[in-house]
Amino acid sequence: MTTKLPTSSGMIKNRKHRACDVCRRKRIKCDGSGGRGEPSTCSSCLLFKTACTFNDTMKKSGPNKGYIRVLEARVAKLENMLREGGHDFTREVEDGAAQAESILRDSSITKLNYESPDSDADSSSGEELLQVALIDKLEDLSLNPVQRRYLQKSGSMRLVKSAISMAGGQPGNSTGSGALASSLDALRRKEIWNLPPWELSIFEEEYPVFEFPQPDLLQTLIVQYFNCVNCLTPILHRPTFEANVQQGLQYKDPWFAAVLLVVCAIASRHTKDRRALYPGSTSLRSSGWHWFNQVLKVRRSPFVSTTLCGLQLQCLCAAFLMGSSVPHAAWTAIGQGLRMAQDIGAHKRRFYGDRISLAGELWKRAFWYLVDAERGFGIALGRAHTLDDDQIEIDYPMECDDECWTSFELSLPPQQPADRPSVMTFFHLILRKSKITADFIPVVYSNRSSCSAKQPDRQRLVEKLDSELNHWFNSIPLHLRWPQHHSNAITFRQAAVLNLIYYKTQILMHRPFISFAPSPSSFSSSCTAICISASRSLIGIADVYLQKCETMHENSVVVFPACMVLLLQALSLKRSGRSVDESRVAGEVRKGINVLETLSERFRLAGVFA
């Protein structure tokens, strides 16, 4: 039977389909049918094994959807900030909601609504009153958006803090530091310390109506992300993330929704499902852009204090942009993320306190990812990194798998099972290698070091750093050594990427000193031999990687400089009249080009080199 709904113009509009009760509450698309005949079960209810019913009565819409989204965003932001601070606010929120309902029951308008339950207009008014009452309660919970800032020791505010401490600690002074701080707070001028109304707009944020992948595709993309990407760049915590998706947090928290969409966009490069392509496109390079574009429409205020979701989103956006036609845009995203982390002191010990928490661990993961990404990507662009090691106080994330974090906050560190190597060991190795890279880049590629008078010093430094790199390589545990003979897909990917990065770094370190002249110096000959050997090993690993994995890591693009080294050597030998195995060189270069061509199907930068 067709449902007829009256429109504002008084005309009758036929509606043959409607969403089921579950999809309506979650505000997602529904492919079921509540129209003629027997209602069919939608794919979402089939996936989550819920009853697909069409019992809810259709009501006239209440408050404006945009207004409700703003309220939901505010509530979600408060929840995240309080949760990250370790506060349990469930009872307070429930009490506030109960009090709001009590206020509604006492109001005459609400009584009128209860007496007229069949009136859609009255029901909408009641909902608006509930929203207003709740928002009044939330006003008491509002957090100052300019708080939670990290101040360097050189800042003037440190002098104020020192003065308060000294005043409270002087002998014979009965005024404690807390009392003094309270008195200073009472003396604050409101016109200086309170935000003026004309500045409130800079803290506002806007979010589009997000459109997510279909439920079955969404689950596939999440699995692909953690199996192919998060195992190499562990930004997220899988059990928490999957639980949040299952509970529908993406429909309540716009920041989590944005994180989920970028996860889907990144994972799209590791799936053959055609639904991941941009609508109307057949190119694999369009994978995920439909979801990433939605995140670009988010209006984020740079004046609001950084949240964990906000920093994770910055990391994920940078990772996605590295595979786009504008990879240099990732550099900007990385730099902004590092500034956001520094702004709240995520690189300092006191930010984390004495408690061991999953939130603190995730802050560390995001921060260290940005540090490593900036150093690695800065090499390609010839740009300096932001933070030196002596500016960073925090340790690396724990070598402990996600499954070992059984609760949000622990009294003791989680323990990795002794019989199972941690997936996080790979990330530790990457970060240690990143430090070596940060040390040799200024030495090898700085313009100030290019004069011949400093050549002996550069040579000794390169030899020292080369020794450190080889020590790092030899420290790789057995389960991550190459070649891989077992069937663990995650370990295979990690071992392949570790070895690709090692040989890439060898080439990068020695490339400025190679020489194909007839009589090179012993140091140049050594550097040339190292680069040639590394190039052949790198291409061989990338070729095996391509054969065993349907999709490859973007690090495989480093086969291009390896191919160039081999071609230059062959050309040099041929010009000097020396013998060269052309068929061997051609075969190795052909393998490298084949890797680049395969990568170019999803990563545009690889197509530039192929």
Side-chain angles (χ1 to χ4, degrees):
M1 180 177 179
T2 304
T3 304
K4 297 181 179 181
L5 300 174
T7 63
S8 58
S9 60
M11 299 176 64
I12 301 299
K13 182 178 180 180
N14 291 337
R15 182 170 181 177
K16 298 182 180 179
H17 299 283
R18 56 170 290 195
C20 69
D21 300 336
V22 175
C23 290
R24 285 185 63 207
R25 295 190 194 103
K26 290 185 176 182
R27 298 195 318 196
I28 59 176
K29 289 185 177 180
C30 180
D31 54 10
S33 174
R36 296 179 178 178
E38 291 295 326
S40 61
T41 302
C42 69
S43 58
S44 177
C45 290
L46 284 174
L47 180 65
F48 295 108
K49 298 180 180 179
T50 56
C52 191
T53 59
F54 297 84
N55 298 328
D56 288 355
T57 57
M58 300 292 289
K59 295 182 179 180
K60 184 177 178 180
S61 59
N64 180 272
K65 290 183 179 179
Y67 172 72
I68 294 177
R69 284 198 297 271
V70 170
L71 294 178
E72 291 175 344
R74 264 182 97 176
V75 172
K77 185 180 294 184
L78 279 169
E79 289 177 352
N80 287 336
M81 295 179 73
L82 290 169
R83 189 180 295 113
E84 290 171 15
H87 301 292
D88 183 7
F89 55 92
T90 307
R91 177 168 295 180
E92 286 79 359
V93 172
E94 290 176 350
D95 292 344
Q99 190 172 352
E101 291 180 359
S102 176
I103 293 172
L104 288 178
R105 292 192 187 96
D106 294 338
S107 66
S108 58
I109 299 179
T110 309
K111 290 179 180 178
L112 178 62
N113 291 335
Y114 282 127
E115 291 169 1
S116 307
D118 298 332
S119 172
D120 290 336
D122 289 341
S123 298
S124 299
S125 300
E127 291 175 6
E128 284 191 18
L129 282 173
L130 179 58
Q131 297 284 0
V132 171
L134 285 175
I135 201 62
D136 287 341
K137 287 296 173 185
L138 289 175
E139 291 293 347
D140 298 332
L141 292 173
S142 62
L143 301 177
N144 190 334
V146 298
Q147 295 299 318
R148 202 180 186 187
R149 292 289 193 263
Y150 168 73
L151 300 176
Q152 189 60 270
K153 292 182 179 179
S154 59
S156 299
M157 292 303 295
R158 288 285 182 152
L159 292 173
V160 177
K161 182 178 179 181
S162 298
I164 294 174
S165 299
M166 291 177 65
Q170 288 178 353
N173 189 345
S174 60
T175 304
S177 60
L180 180 58
S182 299
S183 62
L184 289 175
D185 185 64
L187 294 174
R188 284 179 177 175
R189 291 172 293 171
K190 292 183 178 180
E191 66 273 16
I192 299 297
W193 289 92
N194 291 350
L195 284 174
W198 53 84
E199 288 188 11
L200 290 177
S201 61
I202 66 177
F203 296 99
E204 293 177 355
E205 297 176 335
E206 296 178 0
Y207 313 96
V209 179
F210 293 125
E211 181 180 342
F212 301 97
Q214 297 174 7
D216 62 322
L217 178 58
L218 178 64
Q219 296 302 316
T220 299
L221 292 174
I222 291 174
V223 170
Q224 285 294 93
Y225 173 80
F226 282 100
N227 289 345
C228 301
V229 182
N230 203 72
C231 62
L232 304 177
T233 52
I235 298 170
L236 305 176
H237 179 252
R238 185 169 188 169
T240 301
F241 186 84
E242 291 181 333
N244 286 337
V245 173
Q246 186 70 24
Q247 294 166 9
L249 183 61
Q250 62 271 27
Y251 305 111
K252 304 172 186 176
D253 183 351
W255 281 107
F256 181 77
V259 167
L260 176 59
L261 286 172
V262 184
V263 163
C264 293
I266 295 173
S268 298
R269 292 172 175 160
H270 299 273
T271 181
K272 292 184 177 180
D273 197 311
R274 308 299 290 185
R275 291 175 294 175
L277 302 182
Y278 189 80
S281 174
T282 58
S283 171
L284 291 176
R285 285 191 289 272
S286 72
S287 298
W289 275 97
H290 172 61
W291 299 306
F292 185 76
N293 284 340
Q294 297 180 57
V295 178
L296 294 180
K297 298 176 183 177
V298 174
R299 180 182 176 271
R300 293 174 287 178
S301 171
F303 305 98
V304 176
S305 183
T306 305
T307 63
L308 178 57
C309 257
L311 194 64
Q312 290 173 335
L313 180 62
Q314 206 69 29
C315 298
L316 295 168
C317 287
F320 183 79
L321 288 170
M322 286 181 189
S324 70
S325 59
V326 284
H328 52 274
W331 174 260
T332 304
I334 293 167
Q336 185 179 353
L338 281 172
R339 292 296 185 189
M340 292 164 60
Q342 285 179 273
D343 186 43
I344 58 171
H347 59 308
K348 298 294 182 179
R349 288 193 190 95
R350 65 186 184 89
F351 173 81
Y352 301 89
D354 299 327
R355 295 176 299 179
I356 302 168
S357 67
L358 176 58
E361 186 73 3
L362 293 177
W363 276 105
K364 287 184 179 180
R365 291 187 187 185
F367 171 76
W368 279 112
Y369 167 80
L370 290 168
V371 170
D372 175 63
E374 185 192 43
R375 292 174 177 178
F377 202 55
I379 295 172
L381 299 177
R383 297 173 185 173
H385 56 267
T386 302
L387 288 172
D388 293 325
D389 288 318
D390 58 359
Q391 297 174 280
I392 303 173
E393 295 181 354
I394 62 173
D395 299 326
Y396 294 157
M398 293 183 184
E399 284 190 71
C400 193
D401 291 345
D402 287 355
E403 295 77 13
C404 299
W405 289 88
T406 55
S407 63
F408 196 78
E409 188 171 328
L410 303 173
S411 56
L412 295 174
Q415 296 296 319
Q416 178 72 19
D419 59 342
R420 190 181 72 194
S422 173
V423 176
M424 291 294 294
T425 301
F426 167 86
F427 195 45
H428 270 238
L429 289 165
I430 291 295
L431 295 177
R432 284 170 47 204
K433 200 284 306 176
S434 177
K435 183 181 183 302
I436 297 173
T437 303
D439 289 340
F440 82 75
I441 288 298
V443 174
V444 176
Y445 288 94
S446 173
N447 291 330
R448 299 177 186 175
S449 304
S450 60
C451 59
S452 58
K454 293 186 178 180
Q455 188 68 14
D457 294 335
R458 294 178 74 198
Q459 178 177 330
R460 283 192 293 272
L461 284 170
V462 168
E463 289 172 347
K464 175 180 176 295
L465 291 168
D466 185 45
S467 176
E468 290 181 7
L469 180 64
N470 289 327
H471 177 73
W472 170 86
F473 184 70
N474 293 329
S475 71
I476 296 177
L478 290 175
H479 74 282
L480 292 175
R481 294 288 178 90
W482 189 266
Q484 288 282 298
H485 300 294
H486 46 78
S487 58
N488 188 302
I490 290 178
T491 305
F492 175 83
R493 286 182 180 273
Q494 290 183 338
V497 171
L498 278 176
N499 282 265
L500 287 174
I501 290 175
Y502 168 67
Y503 291 118
K504 176 191 75 171
T505 307
Q506 272 198 324
I507 296 172
L508 191 66
M509 185 182 294
H510 297 91
R511 190 181 66 196
F513 309 100
I514 64 175
S515 174
F516 296 110
S519 301
S521 66
S522 60
F523 180 65
S524 293
S525 296
S526 174
C527 290
T528 303
I530 289 173
C531 286
I532 292 171
S533 175
S535 298
R536 286 180 171 144
S537 298
L538 194 154
I539 292 174
I541 293 170
D543 181 55
V544 175
Y545 194 174
L546 176 63
Q547 294 175 25
K548 292 197 173 183
C549 293
E550 293 182 357
T551 59
M552 301 180 66
H553 191 264
E554 54 265 30
N555 250 313
S556 302
V557 79
V558 298
V559 299
F560 174 74
C563 292
M564 293 303 299
V565 168
L566 296 181
L567 287 174
L568 286 172
Q569 185 217 20
L571 182 61
S572 174
L573 292 174
K574 194 171 183 179
R575 284 186 174 180
S576 63
R578 288 174 287 178
S579 62
V580 55
D581 190 347
E582 295 185 4
S583 61
R584 178 185 179 185
V585 174
E588 290 170 332
V589 172
R590 183 65 253 174
K591 287 180 181 178
I593 293 175
N594 186 36
V595 170
L596 290 172
E597 288 177 343
T598 304
L599 271 176
S600 68
E601 295 177 356
R602 297 177 184 270
F603 300 96
R604 184 166 179 172
L605 184 61
V608 175
F609 296 131

